[in-house]
Amino acid sequence: MILVIGNTKGGVGKTTIAVNLAVLRAAAGGDVLLVDGDDQGSATLFTQLRSENMGAPGYTAVVLQGAAVRTQVRQLAPKYGDIIIDVGGRDTGSLRAALTVAHCLLVPLQPRSFDVWALDQISALVKEARELNPDLRALAFLNGADPQGRDNAEALEAIGEVEGLEVLKAVVVRRKAFPNAAAQGKAVTEMQPRDSKAVEELTVLADIAFS
Ligand SMILES: Nc1ncnc2c1ncn2[C@@H]1O[C@H](COP(=O)(O)OP(=O)(O)OP(=O)(O)O)[C@@H](O)[C@H]1O
Ligand SMILES: [Mg+2]
């Protein structure tokens, strides 16, 4: 399964979800490749910190940019069970290349108007990518969602209107466990004490994305 976590909006949790999914899938026994397609290099820094703290990350990590995301991922695909691609929060060559080679795009966004409005851009990119990659699934989900209140439901309804994207009912709520874990090069599944809600939400998301 080749999965890209992408959104042209920045700061929506792409890298957070990408590294957590990489750790989760690797812990489940998968042979995982994490591709850092963002020149900001956050996924790479996470992996470096993880290697220092834990000896080995448990997955393979590479940095790829632009068209190489397509050509290298194609070439590496037979060697890995899962390939998880993190990209930057802009319309980049890496994102466009990833969309042509991925089976599935996961689009995290927060339940806020600016995030929902920005989806038109990713919707257009998905439409374009499907000309080359007609089976591309595109799943939008709320990350950094509110623990309660009406905003989640309203955002989900608005996302439903965006062409070409499926909306996931599974939401990842805003939980301190995510930054706390990242600061140690860990996934939320590896933290003690465990935030069982964060773990549950991530697991449900992974089950859907990799099904
Ligand atoms: N579910 C969550 N709960 C709490 N904090 C979160 C959650 N998801 C992400 N964050 C925090 O939000 C910030 C942005 O997350 P992240 O860097 O993963 O976003 P990004 O989309 O990769 O950003 P960029 O566009 O810059 O690559 C980070 O501080 C991260 O710890
Ligand atoms: Mg990022």
Side-chain angles (χ1 to χ4, degrees), residues 119-183:
L119 284 179
D120 285 341
Q121 208 179 1
I122 193 85
S123 159
L125 289 177
V126 166
K127 191 174 178 189
E128 203 176 309
R130 282 189 177 134
E131 286 170 21
L132 290 167
N133 183 12
D135 297 330
L136 175 66
R137 288 170 76 204
L139 312 175
F141 73 99
L142 294 180
N143 178 51
D146 296 341
Q148 56 201 21
R150 286 208 36 83
D151 288 6
N152 294 347
E154 282 174 14
L156 288 173
E157 203 179 310
I159 301 164
E161 320 255 298
V162 180
E163 204 187 319
L165 302 182
E166 284 173 58
V167 192
L168 297 188
K169 292 248 162 58
V171 304
V172 179
V173 169
R174 186 171 61 247
R175 300 192 187 282
K176 200 71 175 61
F178 286 97
N180 287 352

Side-chain angles (χ1 to χ4, degrees), residues 16-183:
T16 299
I17 296 299
V19 300
N20 274 277
L21 289 180
V23 171
L24 193 85
R25 295 293 287 181
D31 222 341
V32 176
L33 177 68
L34 176 65
V35 176
D36 189 348
D38 181 4
D39 51 20
Q40 196 170 245
S42 309
T44 304
L45 290 171
F46 173 89
T47 303
Q48 276 167 9
L49 179 61
R50 186 172 173 79
S51 306
E52 283 160 22
N53 291 353
M54 310 180 81
Y59 53 81
T60 306
V62 292
V63 178
L64 296 172
Q65 295 292 321
V69 173
R70 177 184 171 84
T71 52
Q72 291 289 309
V73 165
R74 271 256 166 95
Q75 193 150 354
L76 292 165
K79 298 192 175 75
Y80 293 93
D82 296 314
I83 300 184
I84 297 168
I85 309 171
D86 180 38
V87 291
R90 304 168 308 284
D91 178 358
T92 60
S94 296
L95 170 60
R96 286 171 178 255
L99 291 179
T100 66
V101 79
H103 299 113
C104 181
L105 163 70
L106 268 187
V107 185
L109 73 151
Q110 291 178 305
R112 303 285 170 255
S113 303
F114 290 157
D115 287 44
V116 175
W117 297 337
L119 284 179
D120 285 341
Q121 208 179 1
I122 193 85
S123 159
L125 289 177
V126 166
K127 191 174 178 189
E128 203 176 309
R130 282 189 177 134
E131 286 170 21
L132 290 167
N133 183 12
D135 297 330
L136 175 66
R137 288 170 76 204
L139 312 175
F141 73 99
L142 294 180
N143 178 51
D146 296 341
Q148 56 201 21
R150 286 208 36 83
D151 288 6
N152 294 347
E154 282 174 14
L156 288 173
E157 203 179 310
I159 301 164
E161 320 255 298
V162 180
E163 204 187 319
L165 302 182
E166 284 173 58
V167 192
L168 297 188
K169 292 248 162 58
V171 304
V172 179
V173 169
R174 186 171 61 247
R175 300 192 187 282
K176 200 71 175 61
F178 286 97
N180 287 352

